[in-house]
């Protein structure tokens, strides 16, 4: 039987947040505890008990096709859900290009399960049972990191022939739209927010993958290579994504 530490649950009724969090959890007791802890922090919470209801909230009809919106600032997602499971929700969101931060809650605690959750698109993974204090801290960190990647400038960033539209989560190169994965998009947005700044691999892991990333820092090199293939006329002689030997990477 699962148990949760509520002895250190935060309680800050005076705090007012403008951030919206969608909680998807089919166990009533856990869902109610999570909602209470986050509402005590001042977050605006919407809670549902199955995957289909979550997708209905995240979807809007477009005249051409279904697209996934980012009206929520964070998705707290259980894996074992009725209708549509959490892993499939992650895959669908990332396939559609939705970069909403996702925190997975799961009783599956093996390294394989955690890695799988992160590989399909989650930003963080919290195993049950957990303390409400840790849950709130992780939610706060994910929202803060998302705000960091979206802040610091106008909704349109431009550098030479590259234009990034932050509110639309799309990128054009020489006025032609290019397709980027969520991680590639976040990397490019970070680079374009701070042109010519040198970022180490560890700093990029912290900003894009998060402090609990379980993989190797070589994943940064892989994503940089993929970005170069999409942005550079000659990836072997990059003009945008420059390697600074011994330090990391810079943009421009």
């Amino acid at each position: 039987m699962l148990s949760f530490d509520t002895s250190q649950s935060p309680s800050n009724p005076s705090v007012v947040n403008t951030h919206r969090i969608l909680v998807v959890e089919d166990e009533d007791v856990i869902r109610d505890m999570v909602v209470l802890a986050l509402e005590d922090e001042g977050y605006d919470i919407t809670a549902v008990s199955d995957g289909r209801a979550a997708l209905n909230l995240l979807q809007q009809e477009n005249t051409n096709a279904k697209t996934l919106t980012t009206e929520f600032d964070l998705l707290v997602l259980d894996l074992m859900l009725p209708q549509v499971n959490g892993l499939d929700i992650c895959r669908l969101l990332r396939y559609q290009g939705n970069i909403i931060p996702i925190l997975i809650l799961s009783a599956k605690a093996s390294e394989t399960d955690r890695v799988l959750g992160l590989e399909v698109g989650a930003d963080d993974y919290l195993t049950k049972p957990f303390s409400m204090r840790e849950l709130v801290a992780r939610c706060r960190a994910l929202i803060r990191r998302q705000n960091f990647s979206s802040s610091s400038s106008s909704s349109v960033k431009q550098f030479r022939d590259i234009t990034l539209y932050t509110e639309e989560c799309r990128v054009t190169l020489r006025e032609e739209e290019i397709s980027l994965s969520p991680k590639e998009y976040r990397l490019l947005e970070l680079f374009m927010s701070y042109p010519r700044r040198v970022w180490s691999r560890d700093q990029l892991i912290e900003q894009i993958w998060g402090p609990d990333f379980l993989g190797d820092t070589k994943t940064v090199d892989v994503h940089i290579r993929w970005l170069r293939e999409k942005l550079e006329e000659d990836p072997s002689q990059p003009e945008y994504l420059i390697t600074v030997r011994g330090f990391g990477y810079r943009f421009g």
Side-chain angles (χ1 to χ4, degrees), residues 2 5 14 20 27 31 56 66 86 103 114 134 137 162 182 186 197 199 213 229 231:
L2 293 175
D5 177 9
S14 62
R20 299 185 63 204
E27 295 187 46
R31 185 176 63 252
N56 287 340
K66 282 187 176 179
L103 169 60
R114 296 197 306 273
E134 181 178 8
I162 302 175
R186 288 182 181 175
R197 170 175 171 172
W199 296 86
F213 177 69
E229 290 172 354
L231 298 177

Side-chain angles (χ1 to χ4, degrees), residues 123-142:
D123 296 274
D124 200 355
Y125 194 107
L126 185 59
T127 57
K128 303 174 182 177
F130 50 82
S131 73
M132 292 300 120
R133 181 178 292 275
E134 181 178 8
L135 169 74
V136 170
R138 287 174 182 260
C139 290
R140 189 184 298 121
L142 286 171

Side-chain angles (χ1 to χ4, degrees), residues 197-215:
R197 170 175 171 172
V198 177
W199 296 86
S200 70
R201 290 173 179 81
D202 287 338
Q203 288 173 326
L204 292 173
I205 288 288
E206 170 73 21
Q207 294 297 333
I208 306 301
W209 282 266
D212 296 320
F213 177 69
L214 301 175

Side-chain angles (χ1 to χ4, degrees), residues 176-233:
E176 293 290 330
E177 188 162 338
I178 60 175
S179 176
L180 300 179
S181 71
K183 289 292 191 295
E184 291 168 352
Y185 176 88
R186 288 182 181 175
L187 273 170
L188 182 59
E189 184 180 26
L190 180 65
F191 279 128
M192 293 184 70
S193 297
Y194 300 90
R196 304 193 184 282
R197 170 175 171 172
V198 177
W199 296 86
S200 70
R201 290 173 179 81
D202 287 338
Q203 288 173 326
L204 292 173
I205 288 288
E206 170 73 21
Q207 294 297 333
I208 306 301
W209 282 266
D212 296 320
F213 177 69
L214 301 175
D216 194 290
T217 56
K218 290 181 180 178
T219 192
V220 172
D221 302 326
V222 172
H223 282 77
I224 293 293
R225 186 177 76 246
W226 290 343
L227 261 179
R228 282 175 173 162
E229 290 172 354
K230 295 178 180 180
L231 298 177
E232 307 283 1
E233 290 190 23

Side-chain angles (χ1 to χ4, degrees), residues 81-96:
L81 293 168
Q83 307 294 328
V84 183
N85 69 53
L87 288 179
D88 286 341
I89 291 174
C90 280
R91 290 190 184 97
L92 179 58
L93 289 171
R94 298 321 188 202
Y95 175 78
Q96 294 283 349

Side-chain angles (χ1 to χ4, degrees), residues 88-171:
D88 286 341
I89 291 174
C90 280
R91 290 190 184 97
L92 179 58
L93 289 171
R94 298 321 188 202
Y95 175 78
Q96 294 283 349
N98 191 320
I99 61 173
I100 182 175
I102 300 174
L103 169 60
I104 282 180
L105 306 180
S106 178
K108 296 182 176 181
S110 73
E111 179 179 336
T112 299
D113 291 317
R114 296 197 306 273
V115 170
L116 178 60
L118 295 170
E119 286 294 328
V120 300
D123 296 274
D124 200 355
Y125 194 107
L126 185 59
T127 57
K128 303 174 182 177
F130 50 82
S131 73
M132 292 300 120
R133 181 178 292 275
E134 181 178 8
L135 169 74
V136 170
R138 287 174 182 260
C139 290
R140 189 184 298 121
L142 286 171
I143 290 174
R144 182 173 62 247
R145 191 156 68 240
Q146 178 76 348
N147 288 343
F148 173 82
S149 69
S150 304
S151 65
S152 78
S153 65
S154 70
S155 60
V156 178
K157 305 179 191 295
Q158 183 146 16
F159 189 91
R160 298 181 189 169
D161 294 328
I162 302 175
T163 306
L164 186 145
Y165 301 87
T166 58
E167 293 183 354
E168 303 173 42
C169 297
R170 68 185 184 93
V171 176

